[in-house]
């Protein structure tokens, strides 16, 4: 399901919910022989109160209190809201008769009857419980999707790592094949050497200077495996030239609460910094960071002084 379908489906589900809430009481009271007009007016007047309770919980209270383990405060606020809504509903229902004429002052009760209070309290709990059920269902559905996406991303990273391990074997197998061709077909061997040299143009040469700044004392800090390899790969992929002297620098800073990894390479003249940030590997890295370390990561890219610098900060 794409984002457009989700945006359409959610309002449709809410509309159907309120249609059901509006129609069901009418059908129940009509089956008991009560006038249709009276049941219609009752349902119309009660619907806004139900919507107020539902959307205050759905849009604010559940996210900010219940999901953040402030259950007691969540319950107290809802009790206050339910009592407030009950009193407002009492004023509306008992000040307006269903013959569209106000009740006489001497017949107007000053406080809600006990039966009304108890029944209305239970009725007002329904939109609160419904909002909680819908929110938890949505949260479970989103978490399930995120877990599947994280598993797919992890599989992709593992396959990439396997590809890196296979690359040296490919290189030596290619050399052996070229060695055999030299005897049988020298011309084809010459072309193969040329093709292999083009393929291996990103390998390190004397014109590439690699430096590191890693801590001498390693703290017992664990992060997701292969998380940083994309930045390392990009630094070599875009920072190596056969004709220009380039520099590649990696650094790690860490303490008990965070780890910071920085990859920096020479920004070559013909390359655009957008090539780095828009690649599939970088997109997957951003997704992986947000899935594994939600609200606890920062990924920044800067280009300054002919250098391309990418940095990841993870709060442990």
């Amino acid at each position: 399901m794409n984002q457009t379908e989700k945006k359409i489906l959610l309002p449709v589900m809410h509309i159907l919910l309120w249609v059901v809430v509006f129609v069901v009481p009418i059908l129940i009271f009509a089956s008991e022989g009560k006038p249709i007009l009276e049941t219609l007016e009752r349902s119309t007047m009660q619907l806004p109160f139900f919507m107020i309770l539902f959307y205050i919980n759905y849009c604010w209270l559940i996210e900010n209190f219940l999901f953040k383990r402030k259950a007691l405060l969540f319950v107290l606020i809802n009790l206050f809201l339910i009592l407030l809504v009950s009193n407002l509903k009492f004023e509306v229902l008992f000040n307006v008769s269903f013959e569209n004429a106000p009740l006489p002052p001497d017949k107007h009760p000053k406080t809600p009857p006990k039966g009304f209070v108890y029944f209305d309290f239970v009725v007002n709990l329904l939109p609160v419980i419904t909002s909680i059920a819908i929110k938890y269902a949505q949260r479970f559905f989103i978490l399930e999707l995120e877990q599947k996406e994280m598993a797919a991303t992890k599989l992709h990273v593992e396959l990439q790592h396997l590809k890196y391990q296979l690359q040296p074997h490919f290189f030596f197998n290619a050399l052996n094949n070229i060695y055999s061709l030299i005897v049988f077909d020298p011309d084809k061997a010459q072309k193969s050497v040329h093709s292999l040299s083009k393929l291996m143009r990103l390998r390190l040469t004397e014109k590439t200077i690699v430096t590191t700044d890693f801590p001498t004392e390693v703290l017992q800090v664990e992060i997701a495996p292969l998380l940083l390899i994309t930045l390392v790969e990009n630094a070599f992929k875009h920072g190596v030239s056969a004709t220009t002297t380039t520099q590649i620098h990696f650094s790690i800073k860490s303490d008990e609460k965070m780890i910071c990894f920085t990859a920096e390479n020479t920004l070559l003249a013909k390359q655009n910094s957008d090539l780095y940030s828009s690649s599939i590997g970088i997109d997957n890295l951003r997704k992986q960071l947000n899935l594994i370390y939600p609200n606890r990561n920062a990924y920044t890219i800067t280009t300054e002084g002919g250098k391309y610098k990418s940095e990841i900060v993870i709060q442990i």
Side-chain angles (χ1 to χ4, degrees), residues 192-207:
S192 299
V193 169
H194 179 66
S195 298
L196 183 62
S197 66
K198 289 173 63 178
L199 184 64
M200 305 303 291
R201 69 187 182 278
L202 297 179
R203 298 291 175 177
L204 292 181
T205 66
E206 293 180 356
K207 292 184 176 292

Side-chain angles (χ1 to χ4, degrees), residues 217-267:
E217 295 183 5
V218 180
L219 296 175
Q220 296 299 318
V221 177
E222 295 184 359
I223 62 171
L226 306 175
L227 191 64
L228 308 177
I229 197 169
T230 301
L231 297 190
V232 176
E233 178 196 18
N234 266 17
F236 283 107
K237 183 177 180 181
H238 299 286
V240 175
S241 172
T243 58
T244 306
T245 301
T246 59
Q247 294 181 338
I248 297 175
H249 179 72
F250 302 106
S251 68
I252 294 178
K253 298 177 182 178
S254 65
D255 56 32
E256 295 178 353
K257 295 183 179 179
M258 60 82 75
I259 183 169
C260 174
F261 178 76
T262 303
E264 185 177 339
N265 62 269
T266 303
L267 187 62

Side-chain angles (χ1 to χ4, degrees), residues 112-154:
K114 288 185 178 180
F116 175 85
V117 172
Y118 296 145
F119 177 76
D120 199 58
F121 180 83
V122 174
V123 170
N124 287 334
L125 278 177
L126 294 178
V128 176
I129 294 172
T130 303
S131 65
I132 294 173
I134 292 175
K135 267 293 183 181
Y136 268 102
Q138 287 180 344
R139 193 185 193 195
F140 175 79
F141 180 71
I142 291 171
L143 286 175
E144 189 176 12
L145 287 178
E146 288 180 347
Q147 288 175 354
K148 289 181 179 179
E149 188 173 357
M150 186 167 61
T153 303
K154 182 181 178 183

Side-chain angles (χ1 to χ4, degrees), residues 61-313:
L61 288 179
I62 297 174
E63 288 284 350
N64 291 282
F65 293 94
L66 191 59
F67 285 172
K68 294 184 178 179
R69 299 182 180 180
K70 300 177 182 178
L72 179 60
L73 194 56
F74 174 79
V75 171
L76 291 176
I77 293 174
N78 268 296
L79 286 175
F80 171 77
L81 287 174
I82 288 173
L83 292 175
L84 179 63
V85 166
S86 293
N87 277 279
L88 291 173
K89 194 186 296 185
F90 167 77
E91 291 296 327
V92 171
L93 293 177
F94 282 86
N95 272 302
V96 180
S97 70
F98 300 110
E99 289 78 25
N100 297 320
L103 290 172
D106 57 335
K107 293 184 178 180
H108 181 272
K110 295 182 180 180
T111 57
K114 288 185 178 180
F116 175 85
V117 172
Y118 296 145
F119 177 76
D120 199 58
F121 180 83
V122 174
V123 170
N124 287 334
L125 278 177
L126 294 178
V128 176
I129 294 172
T130 303
S131 65
I132 294 173
I134 292 175
K135 267 293 183 181
Y136 268 102
Q138 287 180 344
R139 193 185 193 195
F140 175 79
F141 180 71
I142 291 171
L143 286 175
E144 189 176 12
L145 287 178
E146 288 180 347
Q147 288 175 354
K148 289 181 179 179
E149 188 173 357
M150 186 167 61
T153 303
K154 182 181 178 183
L155 179 61
H156 173 77
V157 172
E158 289 175 349
L159 289 173
Q160 284 291 103
H161 182 59
L162 181 61
K163 184 179 72 174
Y164 299 145
Q165 291 177 329
L166 291 174
Q167 281 178 353
H169 299 284
F170 162 78
F171 179 62
F172 290 116
N173 286 337
L175 286 177
N176 287 330
N177 290 333
I178 293 172
Y179 177 78
S180 301
L181 281 173
I182 291 173
V183 179
F184 300 103
D185 194 344
D187 292 335
K188 192 172 183 181
Q190 185 179 6
K191 292 179 181 178
S192 299
V193 169
H194 179 66
S195 298
L196 183 62
S197 66
K198 289 173 63 178
L199 184 64
M200 305 303 291
R201 69 187 182 278
L202 297 179
R203 298 291 175 177
L204 292 181
T205 66
E206 293 180 356
K207 292 184 176 292
T208 302
I209 302 171
V210 180
T211 58
T212 59
D213 181 14
F214 298 150
T216 54
E217 295 183 5
V218 180
L219 296 175
Q220 296 299 318
V221 177
E222 295 184 359
I223 62 171
L226 306 175
L227 191 64
L228 308 177
I229 197 169
T230 301
L231 297 190
V232 176
E233 178 196 18
N234 266 17
F236 283 107
K237 183 177 180 181
H238 299 286
V240 175
S241 172
T243 58
T244 306
T245 301
T246 59
Q247 294 181 338
I248 297 175
H249 179 72
F250 302 106
S251 68
I252 294 178
K253 298 177 182 178
S254 65
D255 56 32
E256 295 178 353
K257 295 183 179 179
M258 60 82 75
I259 183 169
C260 174
F261 178 76
T262 303
E264 185 177 339
N265 62 269
T266 303
L267 187 62
L268 300 177
K270 293 184 179 180
Q271 293 182 338
N272 189 321
S273 61
D274 291 340
L275 293 176
Y276 298 84
S277 57
S278 63
S279 67
I280 296 175
I282 294 299
D283 291 340
N284 287 337
L285 175 62
R286 291 183 191 275
K287 291 179 182 179
Q288 196 174 9
L289 284 169
N290 291 328
L291 287 171
I292 302 175
Y293 304 103
N295 303 318
R296 293 188 292 125
N297 75 85
Y299 176 63
T300 57
I301 297 172
T302 56
T303 54
E304 186 178 356
K307 300 286 186 180
Y308 178 89
K309 180 180 177 180
S310 53
E311 182 178 86
I312 292 177
V313 179

